[in-house]
Amino acid sequence: MDHAILAFSKLNDAFMINRIVVTENDYQRLMGLIRLTSPKNTEQGVADRLLKSLNEAKMLKQDNIANNVITMNSRVKLKDLSSKREAEITITYPEDAEPRERRVSILSEIGLALLGRKESEHVSWRTPNGVGRFEISKVTKTPRTGACCFRRRC
């Protein structure tokens, strides 16, 4: 095989590994959220990285997303790869985030790392103690999709 073609193939494979999958509804709502994020807001850096991920994302209709893919309002069971401890969180929009109830904003390091990923994948993000590495053990969809949120109890 030609070296240039092989190099392109490896580059394309690497790109496909990091490309996330999102629902069309999540994409639209998240793009609106990014537009509303103030440049002076502490979440702006995460919003910029979310925008980059969304621009590279593969968009699918809700019905075409596999059940093991993390979308907005998914409940996710994580296993810390170093301590083996498990935790369960829900990925939410910022207005629905409530850390004490384990609802994590998409505009957080954790939310950004998890969106569009699948069960059994390994993810990492900055923690107070350095970089945490986690395995996605289980993904459970919640009945709330699209524009629904926890506070409206739809």
Side-chain angles (χ1 to χ4, degrees):
M1 180 182 270
D2 182 272
H3 290 290
I5 293 172
L6 182 60
F8 177 79
S9 176
K10 286 182 181 179
L11 179 64
N12 191 43
D13 288 347
F15 174 75
M16 293 305 287
I17 289 169
N18 292 321
R19 190 174 183 200
I20 65 170
V21 177
V22 297
T23 68
E24 292 171 347
N25 290 344
D26 286 350
Y27 177 88
Q28 294 300 324
R29 186 155 180 215
L30 290 169
M31 291 301 275
L33 177 66
I34 291 168
R35 282 191 293 275
L36 295 175
T37 304
S38 167
K40 295 180 183 176
N41 192 319
T42 57
E43 297 170 332
Q44 185 59 46
V46 176
D48 291 342
R49 293 193 340 258
L50 176 59
L51 177 62
K52 184 179 186 301
S53 290
L54 290 173
N55 284 335
E56 297 170 352
K58 180 178 181 180
M59 283 186 292
L60 296 173
K61 292 187 183 309
Q62 180 74 38
D63 294 343
N64 295 336
I65 297 271
N67 287 332
N68 68 342
V69 174
I70 299 169
T71 61
M72 293 304 298
N73 297 313
S74 289
R75 183 170 298 282
V76 183
K77 189 176 206 178
L78 299 167
K79 182 199 266 184
D80 185 312
L81 293 174
S82 59
S83 72
K84 306 299 181 204
R85 287 189 310 209
E86 292 187 330
E88 196 167 2
I89 62 172
T90 301
I91 306 303
T92 68
Y93 292 96
E95 66 270 17
D96 298 321
E98 181 54 59
R100 283 177 254 162
E101 295 180 23
R102 299 184 185 249
R103 293 195 315 254
V104 178
S105 171
I106 184 62
L107 293 182
S108 68
E109 295 289 334
I110 299 169
L112 181 61
L114 292 173
L115 183 69
R117 301 297 173 202
K118 298 179 211 155
E119 282 179 14
S120 78
E121 286 187 356
H122 291 190
V123 294
S124 62
W125 58 82
R126 284 182 291 242
T127 67
N129 300 326
V131 175
R133 292 184 39 234
F134 302 85
E135 178 182 0
I136 300 167
S137 304
K138 184 168 179 62
V139 176
T140 306
K141 304 293 184 190
T142 64
R144 297 163 178 91
T145 58
C148 289
C149 68
F150 288 95
R151 289 193 181 127
R152 286 185 231 154
R153 306 282 184 222
C154 45

